[in-house]
Amino acid sequence: MATADVVMYDEEFNQIKSIISKLRVDANAKLVFLVDKNGQQIAAHGDVENLDTTSLASLTAGNVAATDALAKLIGEKEFSILFHEGERDNIHISIVGLRVILVIIFDERSSLGLVRLRVKKASKELNDIFDRIMQKVETEKTYGTNVDSPFAEITDEDIDSLFSE
Amino acid sequence: MTFINYASREINCKIVYYGPGLCGKTTNLQFIYDKTNPAAKGKLISLATETDRTLFFDFLPLELGNVRGFKTRFHLYTVPGQVFYDASRKLILKGVDGVIFVADSQRERMDANAESLQNLESNLKTQGYDLMSIPYVLQLNKRDLPNIVPVEEMKKQLVLRNEPVLEAIAKANGVGVFDTLKAVAKLVLQDLTRPDKNG
């Protein structure tokens, strides 16, 4: 396997949730959203009721991947920020610690300057959390599979039952 | 790269449909979308050209149910099959958990199948994966057409290891489409149980 699986634990998940909810308030944003680079949604805070967050996650990741590839084509390491300006709403996308994507949706009640400022601070905190998660994953790798991993015992029946309709 | 969320008790896996242009990757996804209970699926997103050729990817999120108390979600992606979209194909393979190669059974597409399979192998390698060990299924699509190559002959040309091989007719009646998905989902979930996973 090329890369370690992403694993999210309760403790870090709660810390992440509290950081992004604070970020939403501080940046006066409508929505703050965290996605991993492969398009899996990690956490969201804000007006998500009318939004297809799964699609948002995969399209954001596709967007970031394409932009990354563009950067490499012209000899840049990365474009660390993407900003899309709309008539009402704007999307600010940034990369946290080379691993996850932070998405902020905001309207005229906020500004690009404010969002950038707040993102900078929150990114650092998020980065520390993801470092800790990676350390945990590494530790588990070293000491073998997590003893209470629910997947060590998946049976063929478990899998078949998913398709039993 | 499976995403296991212990906090919300979810497993998210990424499955990619690969294959030459017009082999039926999008048609596979469309059939799954049409036949799945609305509660279990999200929107089918298709980033396609005006002539319905895939430009970047198609995406379909699918929720299969619970395994050991964890909600299992499969994110299905297709790649653009046309040769010149190779840069996009590479991107979509990022973080893949399982691959379905959709081969076009028509005789005149056999070279395209071989070329695409080779392309899959090398693109996986650039992402750090090995086609010989990743969860992988081969689908022989378009078995209803008149000018097709016999299954045994296709197998001889395209089978790489002991991967499951499934015959399908994605367009006309969807035969084999769910069986293919099931086969790869099974391999992906079995892969989770491997103790040397991540190693």
Side-chain angles (χ1 to χ4, degrees):
Chain A
M1 197 42 70
T3 35
D5 289 338
V6 179
V7 174
M8 179 64 66
Y9 306 94
D10 278 311
E11 188 191 349
E12 285 81 9
F13 190 57
N14 289 328
Q15 291 167 348
I16 288 171
K17 275 202 297 199
S18 89
I19 291 173
I20 64 170
S21 81
K22 183 168 181 299
L23 175 59
R24 190 180 86 90
V25 175
D26 289 349
N28 227 354
K30 291 171 82 171
L31 176 70
V32 177
F33 197 79
L34 210 56
V35 192
D36 88 346
K37 277 199 161 179
N38 305 316
Q40 313 277 16
Q41 178 183 335
I42 298 172
H45 192 268
D47 309 332
V48 286
E49 286 80 28
N50 299 316
L51 200 65
D52 177 356
T53 50
T54 313
S55 300
L56 180 68
S58 90
L59 287 174
T60 307
N63 198 346
V64 166
T67 311
D68 256 6
L70 275 177
K72 302 229 161 62
L73 269 184
I74 64 163
E76 274 294 324
K77 197 167 113 255
E78 62 172 6
F79 295 123
S80 54
I81 291 172
L82 277 75
F83 177 59
H84 301 299
E85 190 173 350
E87 265 178 31
R88 280 181 336 219
D89 291 339
N90 314 296
I91 299 189
H92 181 282
I93 299 172
S94 56
I95 315 290
V96 176
L98 298 172
R99 279 180 288 237
V100 290
I101 303 166
L102 179 62
V103 183
I104 320 265
I105 301 180
F106 65 97
D107 58 16
E108 79 284 349
R109 285 170 290 177
S110 184
S111 69
L112 181 56
L114 178 66
V115 168
R116 287 189 72 157
L117 183 72
R118 301 303 190 198
V119 160
K120 217 171 186 177
K121 181 163 176 285
S123 293
K124 195 180 169 312
E125 295 170 2
L126 287 170
N127 196 20
D128 292 346
I129 294 177
F130 283 102
D131 274 347
R132 280 208 295 283
I133 294 176
M134 290 317 285
Q135 272 167 16
K136 265 197 192 179
V137 172
E138 283 296 317
T139 316
E140 276 185 11
K141 230 200 299 187
T142 320
Y143 295 103
T145 323
N146 186 357
V147 273
D148 49 9
S149 165
F151 310 113
E153 294 166 8
I154 291 180
T155 61
D156 280 2
E157 289 81 63
D158 286 335
I159 295 168
D160 283 333
S161 74
L162 286 177
F163 291 90
S164 56
E165 295 157 53
Chain B
M1 176 150 70
T2 326
F3 176 35
I4 302 169
N5 192 333
Y6 285 96
S8 55
R9 300 196 78 73
E10 286 175 4
I11 318 171
N12 289 300
C13 308
K14 178 172 178 177
I15 310 284
V16 173
Y17 285 77
Y18 214 93
L22 295 175
C23 67
K25 301 174 288 293
T26 304
T27 313
N28 262 272
L29 236 61
Q30 186 69 49
F31 184 81
I32 293 166
Y33 179 78
D34 291 342
K35 296 291 172 196
T36 312
N37 171 358
K41 68 186 173 192
K43 232 187 240 158
L44 173 64
I45 289 186
S46 218
L47 304 180
T49 66
E50 282 174 6
T51 50
D52 276 337
R53 303 297 306 268
T54 304
L55 181 62
F56 194 2
F57 58 78
D58 305 306
F59 168 69
L60 177 64
L62 209 60
E63 208 175 294
L64 283 183
N66 288 304
V67 170
R68 304 267 150 172
F70 276 72
K71 227 188 254 169
T72 53
R73 286 224 182 90
F74 283 85
H75 289 179
L76 313 183
Y77 285 82
T78 68
V79 298
Q82 293 177 87
V83 176
F84 56 88
Y85 288 132
D86 199 40
S88 309
R89 270 196 295 279
K90 275 191 193 129
L91 299 178
I92 292 153
L93 286 174
K94 261 189 195 171
V96 65
D97 294 304
V99 177
I100 294 168
F101 187 86
V102 182
D104 191 327
S105 296
Q106 298 177 92
R107 186 160 294 281
E108 65 270 24
R109 297 301 286 163
M110 288 308 285
D111 285 347
N113 289 332
E115 187 186 350
S116 177
L117 192 57
Q118 214 160 44
N119 176 255
L120 168 64
E121 195 165 7
S122 78
N123 280 346
L124 278 173
K125 206 175 272 167
T126 60
Q127 301 286 357
Y129 299 100
D130 182 3
L131 183 55
M132 302 311 277
S133 60
I134 184 174
Y136 171 68
V137 170
L138 172 65
Q139 181 188 77
L140 310 179
N141 194 22
K142 309 196 185 182
R143 296 311 297 172
D144 58 328
L145 296 186
N147 54 337
I148 55 172
V149 176
V151 171
E152 284 313 312
E153 197 181 320
M154 285 193 81
K155 278 189 181 169
K156 214 178 278 171
Q157 287 196 37
L158 299 172
V159 165
L160 297 170
R161 41 192 255 216
N162 56 348
E163 72 264 34
V165 182
L166 293 110
E167 297 178 45
I169 308 172
K171 189 151 205 160
N173 53 15
V175 164
V177 168
F178 275 99
D179 293 335
T180 310
L181 176 62
K182 183 177 171 176
V184 82
K186 200 166 177 166
L187 292 175
V188 168
L189 291 172
Q190 278 168 351
D191 207 45
L192 281 176
T193 65
R194 264 180 30 216
D196 61 333
K197 183 100 184 8
N198 305 340

